[in-house]
Every structure is written in C-alpha cells, then in structure tokens.
C-alpha cells in the first residue's frame, strides 16, 4: 500500500477529496494530514474521516528537522501540497526528491509565485480579462510554483464571470483531476 501525506493550510476540500478517493483504493491511502495552522478546517476534516492530523509551527518547519523527522517516520511514497501556503524548505525537498507535488489554481507559469494563492489568483484572472484559466499539478522545488509540470487542465472564463465563478470552475477541475493524477503518478 502506497502512503500519501498531505500538507494543507486552510479549508482542505482537496485533502478531503483525496482521503475519500483513496479510502476506496487498495493501492494507496492518505495516512496523515500536516498543517501549519492548528485551527485549519482541514484538521477537522481529517479527524472526521479518521486520518491522523498534526500541526507544526514555522520553527519546526524551517529552522529545525522536526517536520522532516515526522516525515521520515511516516515514510511517504508521495507528499501532496493541497492548499499549503508556506514555501517548502530545502532539507525536506532534498530528502524526498521527485516525491513532493503541489496543486496550483492557474495555468503555470502564469499567475504563480509568492502571494498568488486562492482568490488572489482568481481576482487577477478577472482583472486581466483572461479568456481561460485552469489548474496545474507540478513537482515542488525550492522556488514557489516553479517545479516541473505534471498535468494541466483548462476551463473557459466567460465575459460575465466573477472571481467566485472562476473559483467554482477551478474547484470542479481540482476535484475531478487531482486524485487521478496522483493515482497515475503512484503507479509509474
Ligand atoms: C486550491 O484551489 C489550491 O489549488 C490552492 O488553494 C486552494 C485550497 O483549497 N492552492 C494555492 O493557491 C497554492 N498556491 P482547499 O483548502 O479547499 O483544498
């Protein structure tokens, strides 16, 4: 059984979707949710779904090997960032080469980088009158949103769409594709 560990900072709708998808799988399972926010809704979801959840602070993540050691003990086959907002530290990236992926709510390399997350991305898409947007699943390296792209899916942005409309289209794409892309990756 392949082991998936998820990092998430907020609501955790992607984390929940992944937990549920892999609960029906005999190949992989989400074994742990790690969050930088002890009050994040994702930890409530994990608890409700019977998955171990843990929060950590910035020192444990960036200045010590505490989070790295948690991961080493968990022995993940894949580390998945699902709405995780802190930059990943090099000690963890170097210890898990090609095993850390992120989902981004835009078509990278556009609309990526520091500060580009969640509704900030969707508002920028509307302000710039983009005709399309989408999702990107990519490997994580030491720079925000810059690792090799694994998968992208697009959707149209209509003239009357609001940032909330875009958010809902992106949400649909994420719910549909993220579990399947992870499943494929784990089978390679
Ligand atoms: C998702 O749309 C994800 O793509 C985005 O945050 C949202 C988290 O939603 N990630 C980023 O913006 C990363 N730069 P969720 O907590 O409900 O899964």
């Amino acid at each position: 059984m392949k082991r998936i560990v998820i990092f998430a900072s907020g609501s955790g709708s992607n984390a929940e979707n992944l937990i549920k998808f892999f609960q029906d799988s005999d190949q992989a399972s989400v074994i742990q949710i790690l969050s930088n926010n002890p009050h994040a809704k994702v930890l409530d979801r994990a608890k409700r779904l019977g998955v171990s959840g843990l929060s950590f602070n910035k020192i444990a993540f960036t200045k010590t090997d505490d989070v790295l050691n948690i991961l080493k003990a968990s022995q993940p086959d894949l580390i998945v960032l699902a709405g995780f907002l802190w930059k990943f530290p090099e000690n963890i990236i170097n210890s898990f080469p090609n095993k850390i992926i992120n989902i981004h709510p835009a078509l990278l390399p556009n609309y990526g980088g520091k500060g580009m997350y969640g509704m900030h991305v969707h508002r920028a898409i509307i302000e710039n009158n983009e005709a399309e947007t989408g999702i990107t699943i990519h490997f994580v390296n030491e720079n925000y949103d810059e690792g090799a792209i694994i998968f992208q899916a697009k959707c149209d942005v209509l003239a009357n769409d609001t940032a909330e409309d875009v958010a809902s289209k992106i949400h649909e794409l994420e719910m549909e594709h993220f579990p399947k892309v992870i499943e494929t990756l784990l089978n390679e």
Side-chain angles (χ1 to χ4, degrees):
M1 194 73 143
K2 300 271 173 74
R3 301 158 68 80
I4 301 166
V5 171
I6 297 178
F7 280 74
S9 299
S11 165
S13 67
N14 277 284
E16 174 157 356
N17 188 42
L18 295 174
I19 291 170
K20 286 180 173 164
F21 181 91
F22 288 105
Q23 272 172 348
D24 295 330
S25 161
D26 53 10
Q27 290 174 13
S29 152
V30 175
I31 58 150
Q32 190 171 46
I33 303 285
L34 295 172
S35 183
N36 57 310
N37 176 1
H39 308 295
K41 203 170 149 196
V42 68
L43 293 174
D44 299 332
R45 295 190 199 247
K47 197 170 178 186
R48 175 163 47 79
L49 294 163
V51 175
S52 148
L54 206 62
S55 68
F56 56 83
N57 63 28
K58 201 144 208 167
I59 293 170
F61 193 49
T62 59
K63 299 269 187 265
T64 72
D65 282 342
D66 287 1
V67 175
L68 175 63
N69 289 334
I70 290 170
L71 286 172
K72 282 183 173 165
S74 297
Q75 298 189 310
D77 295 284
L78 195 66
I79 296 169
V80 174
L81 316 194
F84 184 68
L85 300 184
W86 285 357
K87 194 169 160 186
F88 242 60
E90 279 184 30
N91 64 339
I92 300 182
I93 292 172
N94 294 337
S95 299
F96 295 94
N98 292 321
K99 283 192 178 174
I100 312 176
I101 66 168
N102 178 45
I103 188 159
H104 187 77
L107 297 170
L108 292 174
N110 299 327
Y111 297 96
K114 197 168 162 58
M116 272 295 166
Y117 61 89
M119 287 307 291
H120 297 279
V121 178
H122 310 317
R123 283 191 207 108
I125 294 284
I126 294 295
E127 276 163 24
N128 294 336
N129 294 311
E130 297 286 357
E132 62 176 20
T133 185
I135 61 169
T136 303
I137 297 166
H138 64 94
F139 286 107
V140 170
N141 69 12
E142 60 285 357
N143 298 318
Y144 271 115
D145 303 328
E146 279 187 17
I149 291 173
I150 301 162
F151 174 88
Q152 291 187 309
K154 293 179 182 175
C155 60
D156 291 333
V157 181
L158 307 179
N160 291 333
D161 277 351
T162 61
E164 286 70 25
D165 294 327
V166 173
S168 120
K169 291 179 187 184
I170 292 296
H171 180 75
E172 263 183 49
L173 288 178
E174 293 187 335
M175 294 299 113
E176 182 187 347
H177 294 290
F178 204 15
K180 293 183 202 156
V181 171
I182 290 173
E183 190 176 49
T184 305
L185 208 54
L186 286 170
N187 284 329
E188 275 174 0

